[in-house]
């Protein structure tokens, strides 16, 4: 299977925006963005599903981040607005196994990209 490859990270000032992209496949019914900051637990930021489950967001990003996918272009996106320094982390694209519907648990996302660094300065 093709690996997931993230892009779009970088350095931005607080209040700014970034859009992350990830190569994916229409066979990935469950896709998500996770992030991990130094000395913090990995956190699922947002998830998007084919097959009935609603799009979900962590409370910390609701109203600021939007997850979307373009199956025609095999791409997953994360639009991040009103960024704050606490958003600084490595962001990872993740997928459940191809052709598999999922229940929304973190442990279902077993395919993970290498990550892209997002740094938000005060």
């Amino acid at each position: 299977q093709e690996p997931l490859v993230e892009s779009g990270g970088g350095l931005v000032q607080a209040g700014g925006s970034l859009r992350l992209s990830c190569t994916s496949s229409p066979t990935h019914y469950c896709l998500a963005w996770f992030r991990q900051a130094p000395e913090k637990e990995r956190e699922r930021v947002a998830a998007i599903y084919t097959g009935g489950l609603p799009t979900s967001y962590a409370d910390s990003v609701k109203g600021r981040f939007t997850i979307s996918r373009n199956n025609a272009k095999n791409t997953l996106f994360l639009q991040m607005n009103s960024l704050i320094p606490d958003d600084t982390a490595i962001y990872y694209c993740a997928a459940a196994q191809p052709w598999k519907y999922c229940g929304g648990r973190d442990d279902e996302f077993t395919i993970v990209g290498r990550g892209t660094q997002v740094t938000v300065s005060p």
Side-chain angles (χ1 to χ4, degrees):
Q1 63 194 14
E2 294 293 323
L4 303 176
V5 180
E6 304 91 340
S7 62
L11 172 64
V12 64
Q13 284 191 321
S17 298
L18 282 175
R19 188 173 80 156
L20 304 184
S21 300
C22 170
T23 58
S24 63
S25 165
T27 63
H28 289 139
Y29 292 167
C30 306
L31 288 163
W33 289 96
F34 287 79
R35 68 183 181 186
Q36 188 159 22
E39 300 181 358
K40 289 189 178 179
E41 301 254 330
R42 188 179 76 158
E43 175 187 31
R44 186 172 62 177
V45 174
I48 189 166
Y49 305 98
T50 298
L53 288 177
T55 301
S56 66
Y57 295 93
D59 287 344
S60 56
V61 306
K62 278 181 183 174
R64 300 188 298 121
F65 290 11
T66 303
I67 188 171
S68 63
R69 66 187 299 174
N70 184 326
N71 285 336
K73 295 186 177 181
N74 294 338
T75 307
L76 174 73
F77 300 102
L78 184 69
Q79 178 67 44
M80 306 186 294
N81 299 327
S82 302
L83 284 160
I84 61 177
D86 279 352
D87 294 322
T88 295
I90 299 175
Y91 284 71
Y92 300 90
C93 175
Q97 290 297 312
W99 308 109
K100 178 178 168 55
Y101 293 98
C102 54
R105 301 189 316 273
D106 284 359
D107 63 2
E108 293 175 300
F109 296 94
T110 56
I111 304 168
V112 184
R114 291 192 172 186
T116 186
Q117 176 71 47
V118 171
T119 303
V120 184
S121 63

